[in-house]
Amino acid sequence: MNARTMVGLTLGSVLALITLVVVIVLPASDDSCADSPTVTNSSTAQGDPNLAAATSAGPTSTAGDGSTSATAALSSTTATSSTAPVPVPIESQNPATSAPDTPATVAAPQPVAAITSGTPPLGPIRRTWPLAAGTFTISDVFGARNGTHLGVDLAGADGTPIYSVADGRVVAAGPAAGFGNWIVIDSIDVNGRPFSAVYGHEWPSGVRVHVGDQVKAGQQIGNIGSAGQSTGPHLHFEIVPGGRLTGGHQIDPLPWLDGAPTPQSSGAWPFSANPMCSMGFGTAGGALADGKVPPELDLWYRRAGSLCPEIAPSVLAAQGRQESGFRRGLTSPAGAVGLAQFLPSTAQLIDPDDGKPYLIDAEGNGNASLWDDGDAIMAQGRYMCALAHGIERWIAEGRVRGEVVPLALAAYNAGSGAVLASGGMPNQVAAHFSETQPYVANILAMEPQYRAAGSEGRFEPGNGTAGSQIVQAGQQWTGTPYVWGAGGPQGPSNGGLDGPGLTSAAVFAASQGAVTLPRTAEQQWEFGGEVKWQAARPGDLVFSSFGPRGPAQVGIYLGNGSMLYAAPGTGVAAASVPGDARLRRVL
């Protein structure tokens, strides 16, 4: 064997060894956020810069294993952080296998520095239950209904107190499709994993917290109700690792309540050094669909969409698309500039909500400018929130009629004075009809594309046939009032749905925004292909009451001669298929 051969064999062995080490020793991940470095305190660059971490351990500050509380250490790291802290949950001290008589908080988790440096997590975690012992029975389990039930139902008397299972931040509270009303709280588990707790079916009066509230484990947040798609008073409870609004997936809550640690899931990584990876976790900004806006703008729409509960990040993103197409450097004939097409004179006006100009130095570069992405989008959000708050007052005073978001959009375009003078949607001059009303309609039509799946309520696209997904999406609005001309891809509007509004909403949700049906039954008849009754499947669209221009009615086929249908008197409900009905399949 000559020297050249020996050198070749040696190099080949070294390369093989390196390959072996890379393949076997180094972990692999398709998730860039999972592979990115983590910060070593409880803060993240994502979300509301004023978000305060929950650091109180409640009545005790001793961990379940007797170790000293880390609350003080966590508090000191977040107090001076220039980035946005995420909520820090506290373990519960009630026994792991039973609900508490009075839910209580307990021990603080290990410091995040210890978690990220490889310290083993604690053993079984003692949790706070959402209802007190003796006040409920388990009426339905996770995975029931052919796998579509993604939580556990706890039946109890109407009005029974509901308690937060962890310290955290309220990111949704109020109306939600399917649930009637819900509460969503984002938290970080003892092992540093993000999760959301979801509480559904409260009556409006039973929602006792607001978006942005910081809550503690064991704090009452609501009362059992039977709103939405419900047959009796109960709490629908979910645990969602990764975040309910940020792409996480539900797990069975009962093992979790019995002490199983929260697993890592898809969704948010709030301790990543990459600010994009937290996806607005811990704020209402998590409701923005991932990957729908230019990456460099994502963080700012999430932050701006967390300023007030009235204006969601999806509304701001759709508005940005309408205003500038996400293009920089634009100036309108009227002098509006930047991504949000903001008038410089308006930008300098004082926001009545906080006494500061609408335009602030959000990017922190020492210069507040409508040409800076962050400054422009935050000014847009601040102005929209102020408009929404003013319109809410006018609605309460009876001075205008309509829904807050459409009227705020109209005010952004035509001025709040136009809304007040018209008593609602501007209708005083030609431009209100040719510009303002189409402006509002276009944004509302685009908004669902920017809304995270599942962020509005029960239905989340998942496994199953396209037809079964349409049925599930439609059924979340069971009981919604009938309102002629209402609804569309965004879901109910003006307090209800009509037939085409229901089918449009269900198909849009089931297709994850890929299919947008037109507004009328006649136009929807032109989509997809006709299906013979012998080949009918649940999820096919049922058309009836045919005239010279086509069908006048449309619903969703459920099987066995019934359909889901929106009608006067009954609202959205199951009904018999009419005798002249014909089917079309759109997915």
Side-chain angles (χ1 to χ4, degrees):
M1 183 180 297
N2 59 34
R4 179 176 297 177
T5 301
M6 292 183 66
V7 170
L9 289 172
T10 301
L11 288 175
S13 299
V14 171
L15 289 173
L17 181 60
I18 292 173
T19 301
L20 186 64
V21 169
V22 168
V23 171
I24 295 178
V25 177
L26 297 182
S29 173
D30 294 328
D31 190 332
S32 60
C33 290
D35 293 337
S36 66
T38 57
V39 296
T40 55
N41 59 35
S42 59
S43 66
T44 173
Q46 179 63 46
D48 182 354
N50 298 313
L51 183 62
T55 56
S56 172
T60 179
S61 60
T62 303
D65 60 355
S67 61
T68 302
S69 169
T71 299
L74 286 168
S75 179
S76 66
T77 60
T78 58
T80 58
S81 174
S82 61
T83 53
V86 290
V88 179
I90 310 302
E91 297 172 82
S92 165
Q93 68 179 358
N94 59 285
T97 56
S98 64
D101 293 326
T102 302
T105 58
V106 90
Q110 301 175 68
V112 175
I115 294 169
T116 57
S117 64
T119 300
L122 299 176
I125 302 165
R126 289 177 285 179
R127 306 280 190 189
T128 296
W129 280 63
L131 300 171
T135 66
F136 69 92
T137 58
I138 297 174
S139 57
D140 209 353
V141 297
F142 182 86
R145 308 171 204 172
N146 296 318
T148 64
H149 191 240
L150 300 179
V152 61
D153 286 349
L154 307 176
D158 199 315
T160 299
I162 300 170
Y163 303 96
S164 178
V165 298
D167 284 16
R169 171 61 60 86
V170 179
V171 297
F179 293 123
N181 293 280
W182 71 349
I183 299 166
V184 182
I185 298 175
D186 282 357
S187 303
I188 305 295
D189 206 359
V190 63
N191 57 3
R193 303 274 172 79
F195 69 93
S196 297
V198 179
Y199 312 78
H201 296 300
E202 299 84 5
W203 301 116
S205 60
V207 177
R208 300 177 56 138
V209 290
H210 301 88
V211 172
D213 286 354
Q214 197 78 41
V215 300
K216 297 182 181 298
Q219 175 182 331
Q220 184 178 353
I221 57 172
N223 299 88
I224 282 182
S226 188
Q229 197 174 345
S230 172
T231 58
H234 73 284
L235 168 66
H236 174 91
F237 178 68
E238 298 178 4
I239 290 295
V240 192
R244 184 63 157 83
L245 307 185
T246 51
H249 295 287
Q250 290 90 340
I251 60 172
D252 187 343
L254 292 181
W256 186 91
L257 287 169
D258 283 341
T262 304
Q264 184 59 57
S265 175
S266 58
W269 290 79
F271 293 116
S272 171
N274 179 354
M276 304 303 295
C277 294
S278 63
M279 301 173 65
F281 182 83
T283 76
L288 182 68
D290 192 31
K292 293 296 186 179
V293 301
E296 66 275 14
L297 305 182
D298 183 276
L299 180 148
W300 293 110
Y301 281 117
R302 293 184 188 277
R303 287 185 173 176
S306 301
L307 295 175
C308 66
E310 295 86 353
I311 304 300
S314 53
V315 171
L316 296 176
Q319 187 181 28
R321 171 70 180 274
Q322 176 70 23
E323 289 285 357
S324 65
F326 305 126
R327 293 173 295 167
R328 299 171 179 81
L330 300 182
T331 301
S332 75
V337 302
L339 285 168
Q341 287 293 278
F342 221 91
L343 288 169
S345 57
T346 303
Q348 299 305 318
L349 296 177
I350 299 301
D351 184 344
D353 290 341
D354 65 6
K356 299 177 182 178
Y358 291 115
L359 178 65
I360 60 174
D361 180 19
E363 293 196 359
N365 59 12
N367 180 40
S369 172
L370 290 173
W371 299 111
D372 290 346
D373 295 348
D375 295 359
I377 294 172
M378 291 299 287
Q380 174 194 358
R382 288 166 57 79
Y383 187 46
M384 282 292 291
C385 285
L387 292 172
H389 295 156
I391 288 166
E392 285 177 328
R393 288 192 294 272
W394 290 342
I395 291 174
E397 295 166 359
R399 302 173 71 184
V400 302
R401 298 180 63 185
E403 295 186 321
V404 171
V405 171
L407 294 182
L409 290 169
Y412 191 98
N413 178 264
S416 57
V419 172
L420 185 58
S422 303
M425 188 60 62
N427 58 10
Q428 301 296 296
V429 298
H432 292 162
F433 297 95
S434 63
E435 180 181 339
T436 301
Q437 293 186 18
Y439 171 88
V440 173
N442 288 343
I443 292 171
L444 294 179
M446 288 189 292
E447 183 271 333
Q449 303 173 27
Y450 298 98
R451 186 193 305 161
S455 64
E456 295 295 311
R458 169 166 287 175
F459 176 76
E460 292 185 83
N463 297 326
T465 66
S468 69
Q469 296 285 286
I470 293 175
V471 169
Q472 292 175 41
Q475 287 177 330
Q476 69 181 318
W477 290 297
T478 299
T480 300
Y482 174 88
V483 176
W484 184 83
Q490 76 280 2
S493 62
N494 298 322
L497 292 162
D498 65 4
L502 169 65
T503 52
S504 177
V507 169
F508 187 90
S511 68
Q512 301 186 58
V515 178
T516 301
L517 295 181
R519 184 64 197 84
T520 68
E522 293 95 333
Q523 293 169 324
Q524 291 183 10
W525 175 252
E526 303 299 323
F527 269 66
E530 187 166 5
V531 178
K532 299 296 184 183
W533 275 104
Q534 297 89 329
R537 299 177 189 168
D540 292 339
L541 299 191
V542 182
F543 294 87
S544 60
S545 300
F546 284 83
R549 299 177 59 184
Q553 307 293 336
V554 61
I556 300 169
Y557 187 56
L558 300 176
N560 300 318
S562 67
M563 66 177 184
L564 191 67
Y565 182 63
T570 63
V572 178
S576 298
V577 172
D580 69 336
R582 296 164 66 180
L583 299 175
R584 291 187 85 83
R585 188 166 296 154
V586 297
L587 288 184

